[in-house]
């Protein structure tokens, strides 16, 4: 069976892999927990900073080592959760580094940091983790603090996530969002700009306003479901649109194949050419129609006249005269 797939045959991952970062106190964890049915992995012992009203109904794993995390993935029943929230992603990577060195001390330096080979091992471990969670059918959201990066006279805000190996890690993610506040108004952008990092493969709006869902006393005034309603559902809508377009494309190609199969001579070939633009083409369907026509014309021994721009029956080939060799036998 061929491994080559057409666009309508692709297996598109419907689960989001994202990273949210910003200054402390922005409500990053609260936003991450607004994803559907979350399980919080508290890597930096910071769950106490989350408004307890937003932890109602949320289960938490207080992680003390990367092995704890693996044990939960391996041994616990996670069927009741749709999203794994990793808080913080930077601390998770630190634990991952410790785990790698413990497994193979040669991957570490004397100061406890990873060697170059160790960073390569961590990238592989991170990629395997993200893939594993996707195969489990769950969203994964990393929460990270903001770091400041100076480039000449410009200052950019980037996630504290992997240090120099950040670029190689972020390739595994669909979304990278930067949260900030202006007074009490909080916003998030997934678009990369000159002042912040970002990744927006879901085509989300450039600036998204995050509503305030607690009063001045910290009491909830609205459900914590922003990520579910405005990110997850937007992504699902985009996938549904892509699926509908793929199905429409498949139907159109099947129609073209049927029409071309009905061509039996030059007249019917030319009739098809005359209405080829009437099929409401999608993507490369017109190119596919032309390829199907060329193949059928060849099978019918038709040739295309470039001057008249019409198909014609190919002229029969003249019979080759057989050369009669003189016989060596005596008459």
């Amino acid at each position: 069976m061929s491994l080559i797939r057409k666009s309508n045959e692709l297996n598109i991952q419907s689960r989001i892999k994202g990273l949210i970062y910003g200054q402390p106190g922005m409500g990053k964890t609260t936003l991450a927990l607004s994803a559907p049915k979350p399980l919080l992995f508290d890597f930096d012992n910071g769950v106490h900073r989350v408004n307890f009203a937003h932890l109602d109904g949320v289960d938490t794993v207080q992680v003390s080592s990367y092995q704890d995390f693996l044990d939960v993935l391996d041994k616990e029943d996670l069927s009741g959760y749709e999203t794994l929230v990793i808080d913080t992603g930077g601390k998770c990577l630190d634990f991952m580094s410790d785990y790698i060195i413990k497994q193979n001390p040669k991957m570490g330096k004397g100061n406890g940091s990873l060697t170059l080979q160790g960073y390569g091992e961590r990238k592989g471990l991170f990629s395997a983790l993200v893939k594993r969670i996707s195969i489990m059918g769950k969203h994964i959201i990393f929460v990270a603090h903001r770091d400041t990066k100076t480039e000449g006279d410009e200052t950019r805000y980037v996630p504290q996530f992997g240090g120099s190996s950040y670029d190689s890690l972020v390739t595994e993610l669909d979304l990278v969002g930067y949260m900030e506040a202006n007074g009490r108004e909080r916003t998030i952008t997934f678009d990369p700009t000159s002042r912040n990092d970002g990744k927006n493969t879901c085509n989300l709006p450039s600036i998204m306003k995050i509503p305030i869902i607690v009063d001045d006393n910290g009491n909830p005034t609205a459900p914590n479901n922003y990520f579910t309603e405005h990110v997850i559902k937007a992504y699902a809508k985009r996938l549904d649109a892509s699926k509908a377009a793929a199905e429409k494309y498949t139907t159109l190609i099947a129609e073209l194949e049927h029409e071309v199969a009905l061509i039996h001579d030059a007249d019917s070939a030319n009739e098809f050419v005359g209405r080829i633009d009437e099929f409401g083409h999608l993507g490369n369907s017109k190119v596919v129609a032309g390829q199907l026509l060329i193949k059928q014309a060849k099978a019918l021994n038709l040739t295309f006249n470039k001057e008249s721009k019409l198909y014609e029956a190919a002229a029969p080939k003249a019979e080759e005269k057989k050369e009669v060799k003189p016989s060596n036998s005596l008459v």
Side-chain angles (χ1 to χ4, degrees):
M1 184 176 66
S2 175
L3 296 177
I4 300 173
R5 295 286 182 267
K6 299 184 185 300
S7 59
N8 61 292
E9 299 173 331
L10 295 174
N11 180 22
I12 299 176
Q13 177 56 247
S14 61
R15 299 301 181 180
I16 283 180
K17 305 176 288 291
L19 169 68
I20 298 170
Y21 77 102
Q23 287 180 289
M26 287 291 102
K28 301 183 296 295
T29 304
T30 299
L31 180 62
L33 292 176
S34 69
K37 298 181 181 178
L39 174 61
L40 173 62
F41 287 90
D42 180 19
F43 278 84
D44 69 347
N45 196 28
V47 68
H48 63 279
R49 293 189 289 268
V50 180
N51 188 315
F52 268 57
H54 300 143
L55 291 174
D56 186 28
V58 175
D59 293 336
T60 301
V61 179
Q62 293 183 294
V63 182
S64 59
S65 70
Y66 193 68
Q67 188 61 56
D68 287 347
F69 181 45
L70 294 178
D71 287 344
V72 173
L73 295 183
D74 292 334
K75 302 174 183 178
E76 300 281 356
D77 179 10
L78 303 182
S79 59
Y81 309 102
E82 292 184 26
T83 306
L84 304 188
V85 176
I86 311 299
D87 188 9
T88 62
K91 193 65 174 180
C92 174
L93 290 171
D94 289 343
F95 282 178
M96 192 181 288
S97 298
D98 294 340
Y99 174 81
I100 291 170
I101 295 173
K102 186 176 180 180
Q103 297 293 313
N104 185 354
K106 292 183 178 180
M107 296 288 183
K109 297 180 181 178
N111 60 4
S113 64
L114 291 170
T115 63
L116 186 61
Q117 187 180 2
Y119 280 114
E121 181 71 15
R122 191 177 70 173
K123 180 184 183 305
L125 199 60
F126 180 80
S127 299
L129 170 65
V130 172
K131 182 178 180 180
R132 177 179 181 180
I133 293 175
S134 295
I135 291 173
M136 291 168 64
K138 303 187 186 302
H139 307 289
I140 182 169
I141 302 175
F142 295 92
V143 177
H145 296 306
R146 187 188 82 174
D147 202 358
T148 302
K149 186 176 181 180
T150 302
E151 298 175 349
D153 295 331
E154 294 186 354
T155 298
R156 296 186 71 246
Y157 302 123
V158 297
Q160 288 183 6
F161 191 71
S164 60
S165 62
Y166 164 74
D167 288 341
S168 64
L169 298 177
V170 79
T171 57
E172 303 292 337
L173 305 179
D174 306 308
L175 292 172
V176 175
Y178 173 57
M179 286 183 66
E180 61 182 342
N182 182 9
R184 292 200 66 192
E185 182 177 288
R186 296 176 305 149
T187 60
I188 186 169
T189 178
F190 293 94
D191 288 348
T193 71
S194 60
R195 63 188 296 272
N196 66 266
D197 200 21
K199 191 173 184 180
N200 189 2
T201 63
C202 300
N203 296 326
L204 297 171
S206 295
I207 302 290
M208 302 173 70
K209 184 177 178 180
I210 302 170
I212 297 173
I213 56 174
V214 294
D215 61 21
D216 292 338
N217 296 318
N219 299 313
T221 57
N224 184 32
N225 59 7
Y226 187 86
F227 209 89
T228 298
E229 294 296 321
H230 297 277
V231 178
I232 302 292
K233 287 188 176 180
Y235 184 55
K237 185 177 180 180
R238 177 184 168 222
L239 290 181
D240 288 343
S242 298
K243 183 178 179 181
E247 290 174 350
K248 191 174 181 180
Y249 176 86
T250 301
T251 301
L252 175 58
I253 296 300
E255 180 185 359
L256 290 169
E257 290 174 341
H258 174 72
E259 291 286 332
V260 170
L262 296 177
I263 295 174
H264 59 278
D265 58 15
D267 290 339
S268 55
N270 292 325
E271 188 272 338
F272 178 81
V273 172
R275 58 189 179 89
I276 196 170
D277 290 328
E278 299 175 4
F279 286 93
H281 289 288
L282 296 169
N284 69 337
S285 64
K286 187 173 181 179
V287 174
V288 173
Q291 293 171 342
L292 292 170
L293 176 60
I294 291 172
K295 184 177 179 180
Q296 183 73 350
K298 185 177 180 180
L300 296 171
N301 199 27
L302 303 178
T303 59
F304 186 73
N305 188 318
K306 293 183 180 179
E307 294 183 1
S308 66
K309 299 189 182 301
L310 295 172
Y311 279 97
E312 302 171 347
K317 294 182 179 180
E319 293 186 6
E320 297 180 0
K321 294 183 179 180
K322 294 183 180 180
E323 182 180 356
V324 180
K325 296 182 179 179
S327 175
N328 291 329
S329 59
L330 296 176
V331 180

